[in-house]
Amino acid sequence: MGYDPGAVSQSVTDESAVAEAGTSDATDSAVAPGPTKRVVLAILVLLSAQFAVLSTVEAWRDAPTFDEVFHLASGATALTRHQWRLTPEHDALPKVLGAGLALLARPAIPDNQAWHDGDGNAYYGAFLAAQKTSGKVQRVFFLARLVSIAEAIALGLALYALARGLFGPTAGLIAAGAWLTTPLAVAFGHIDGSDLPFALAVVLTCLALQRWYVHQTVGRLVLVGVAASVMLLTRFTGLALVPGIALAVAIGAVGASVMRRAAMALSVPLIAWAGVWAVYRVISPMPVFRHAADIGGYLPESKFSRLARVVPWPKEYAVGLEETGRLASASSDVFLFGRHASGAHWWYWPGALLVKLPLPATLLAVAACGYWLVCRRRARVQALLTVVIPVAIVVALVVPYKRPSFRYFLPGMVLLFVLGAAVLAAASRYNIGRVVLAVLAVVQLASLWNAYPHSLAWTTPPFRPNYRVIGDTNDWGQDYYRLEHWATGKDALVAYFGPFGPAPPISGTRPLAGAEPNEIRGWVAVSMANLTYQSLANPKDIAWLRTYCPIGTLGGSILVYRFREPPDTTRAAGVAARLCHGDYSEPVPTARRNADGRAPLGVRP
């Protein structure tokens, strides 16, 4: 069905009707009453409390990950020295929010040459070393992560508000519940990064847009522009979403003249642009910008970032946009279902969806395709403009991206939850639908608790062990504390992937890289990423480990081996072996070849 101005006009003048718009026109009389406000509030409080407890425990136990060190070092220096110099390719707002709370722990903030040069790669190591020397690593990063936990819960509440406004309270509860019980939400929710804040910014923008459709006032339109500004301050991807939001405003301005529609649409990017300038200048009122181009300087810049830099941005923002555009030109490794590849591949996204989400959440995302069939006309139109357009833009951005990672699809995933919730809410009108919904809720909760306390490395059954199935989002260096504890007294050989990697090795351990074959005996611990990605570039280093079975894992991200005798380091395979049944690592047949019959990437036939 095409765009119906009358349908939107009716919704603009009847806000209460919008909240009940989740049912089909033909079956209004069969609608079961939705949950009461008290029941909804109780469930949301319980789910939020559960999420907060699980995330807080993981936030305390997990070691810092790569991006967290960049974020915290950049945010802490910006807030205390009022200059943006470090890692501008990560946008500003998530950094300062996390660092603001972390400053309560009085972290050590080095004032070295790397800071004065704006050399983020050199500075982040010094920043992490300074926290370790002062004994504040765990405390500083934990405080920053508390902000992320709050943002994750806020995202659940925003999903409830958006789905309720479009499809009714039952749909709102389903959308929020799906997010707050998804292991991937805990994984991102206890990490100080930009992925979750950007998803929150996108949902808040969609919510502001939906509220503006219901009651089209200047104040609500300004809120749309402010929310769009938050997107731009959270991730540069927002630059592609803001024009889509402006287009939705122009389409939804019922009864306005062409000139008025154009003025309203233009106000959104103008407010967003002004917001970027305001935040950068509040933090750094008198900028002295220095930056050592340490990422992607040799790569060609993308056409999108070149076009976006035509707009007059703050210098720090423009440099970050340029570096991001250059980094986007480089391909990264892909590992999924035992297959190695490089660059953009469409099959990665549905595959990652299956592997990293519980079955109920996957079904909810797939059910989004049927939202059009179960909703009233006014809800269809509003959902098209406020949800479908942003999802389409996210898909258009991430699928061709040469550095695929499922975390980039997080905004699209949660918006699919909103659309899918309309379908499940419609099904809940029938007894069989309520039974199915209850079963899915139980499975979803069981998946959440099954992932605890290793949500980052979790994969849904039957896609296990995780290191044989997917390489993304499993290993970000989060199990360094567990590695330190495990290695005590073992004289282990270690290959660790994470922010502590450049630091001196753990006491009582030796680096595996460069060890002679006859020296490899006893305990060996290797980060999953070293076997999945890094060894592909130089397979003769440690790729032979894939042909020996590990006897266990640390947190799901570090593989543990134990050798009676020096292993055969001349063997190589594409996929790491399954866990051993005994106490020692034994050789296993080499892993299968890729589906095309060729040897896996980086492996000699």
Side-chain angles (χ1 to χ4, degrees), residues 140-155:
V140 168
F141 283 90
F142 173 72
L143 288 174
R145 288 170 169 180
L146 291 180
V147 176
S148 297
I149 295 172
E151 291 169 344
I153 294 173
L155 176 54

Side-chain angles (χ1 to χ4, degrees), residues 117-135:
D117 293 341
D119 188 346
N121 268 357
Y123 188 83
Y124 98 91
F127 180 86
L128 185 60
Q131 311 319 310
K132 193 169 186 180
T133 300
S134 63

Side-chain angles (χ1 to χ4, degrees), residues 72-83 86 109-110 115 123 127:
L72 195 50
S74 182
T77 54
L79 288 176
T80 57
R81 295 173 184 161
H82 307 290
Q83 296 291 332
L86 305 177
I109 304 176
W115 155 251
Y123 188 83
F127 180 86

Side-chain angles (χ1 to χ4, degrees), residues 184-550:
L184 202 65
V186 177
F188 293 126
H190 80 283
I191 295 297
D192 179 28
S194 62
D195 303 298
L196 187 145
F198 182 63
L200 175 59
V202 171
V203 173
L204 288 176
T205 304
C206 295
L207 177 60
L209 188 60
Q210 189 270 330
R211 292 291 188 250
W212 175 79
Y213 282 142
V214 171
H215 192 50
Q216 296 184 6
T217 65
V218 173
R220 291 194 178 192
L221 185 61
V222 170
L223 286 179
V224 175
V226 171
S229 181
V230 173
M231 283 199 305
L232 296 185
L233 286 163
T234 306
R235 179 169 280 173
F236 295 114
T237 311
L239 289 165
L241 284 163
V242 169
I245 299 298
L247 176 63
V249 167
I251 295 174
V254 178
S257 64
V258 173
M259 291 298 295
R260 182 170 174 80
R261 286 174 185 252
M264 296 169 74
L266 185 60
S267 68
V268 172
L270 284 177
I271 294 172
W273 173 79
V276 171
W277 272 99
V279 169
Y280 269 82
R281 288 301 154 254
V282 165
I283 301 297
S284 179
M286 301 180 66
V288 181
F289 182 68
R290 300 190 185 99
H291 177 64
D294 47 18
I295 295 183
Y298 60 93
L299 296 168
E301 186 181 358
S302 69
K303 294 180 180 178
F304 175 77
S305 63
R306 285 204 306 268
L307 179 63
R309 287 196 299 113
V310 173
V311 178
W313 299 107
K315 178 66 173 178
E316 308 94 319
Y317 192 89
V319 170
L321 179 57
E322 179 184 1
E323 288 205 359
T324 303
R326 293 186 185 279
L327 191 61
S329 301
S331 297
S332 65
D333 293 329
V334 178
F335 178 72
L336 185 65
F337 298 131
R339 177 181 178 182
H340 292 293
S342 180
H345 297 277
W346 69 267
W347 45 261
Y348 168 82
W349 303 101
L353 186 80
L354 287 173
V355 172
K356 296 299 290 186
L357 290 185
L359 178 60
T362 302
L363 293 176
L364 183 62
V366 173
C369 299
Y371 96 93
W372 192 269
L373 304 176
V374 299
C375 302
R376 298 188 179 212
R377 285 177 296 175
R378 55 178 167 265
R380 293 174 191 168
V381 175
Q382 282 197 22
L384 174 64
L385 297 177
T386 62
V387 178
V388 176
I389 288 178
V391 169
I393 294 173
V394 171
V395 170
L397 289 173
V398 302
V399 172
Y401 191 48
K402 296 180 180 179
R403 306 174 63 84
S405 176
F406 189 63
R407 59 195 177 97
Y408 298 140
F409 189 63
L410 192 59
M413 184 192 82
V414 295
L415 289 178
L416 288 178
F417 284 176
V418 171
L419 297 176
V423 178
L424 292 192
S428 70
R429 294 182 288 107
Y430 307 99
N431 289 334
I432 184 64
R434 287 191 285 273
V435 171
V436 171
L437 193 59
V439 171
L440 292 177
V442 170
V443 174
Q444 183 81 357
L445 276 172
S447 300
L448 177 67
W449 282 97
N450 177 254
Y452 173 82
H454 308 300
S455 60
L456 271 171
W458 183 84
T459 53
T460 189
F463 304 113
R464 296 179 176 176
N466 62 337
Y467 61 85
R468 287 177 55 87
V469 181
I470 189 169
D472 177 49
T473 73
N474 287 340
D475 180 12
W476 289 351
Q478 71 271 16
D479 287 315
Y480 181 80
Y481 297 154
R482 296 178 179 90
L483 179 62
E484 277 189 313
H485 178 75
W486 169 86
T488 303
K490 287 187 171 63
D491 190 31
L493 291 167
V494 172
Y496 165 74
F497 172 82
F500 290 98
I506 298 170
S507 177
T509 68
R510 295 168 290 152
L512 177 60
E516 295 295 329
N518 59 359
E519 297 177 344
I520 303 174
R521 190 191 300 265
W523 294 101
V524 175
V526 180
S527 291
M528 190 194 79
N530 290 77
L531 286 180
T532 307
Y533 294 131
Q534 289 189 343
S535 62
L536 297 178
N538 194 8
K540 62 185 179 182
D541 279 347
I542 59 174
W544 56 269
L545 271 170
R546 299 182 190 134
T547 65
Y548 285 83
C549 59

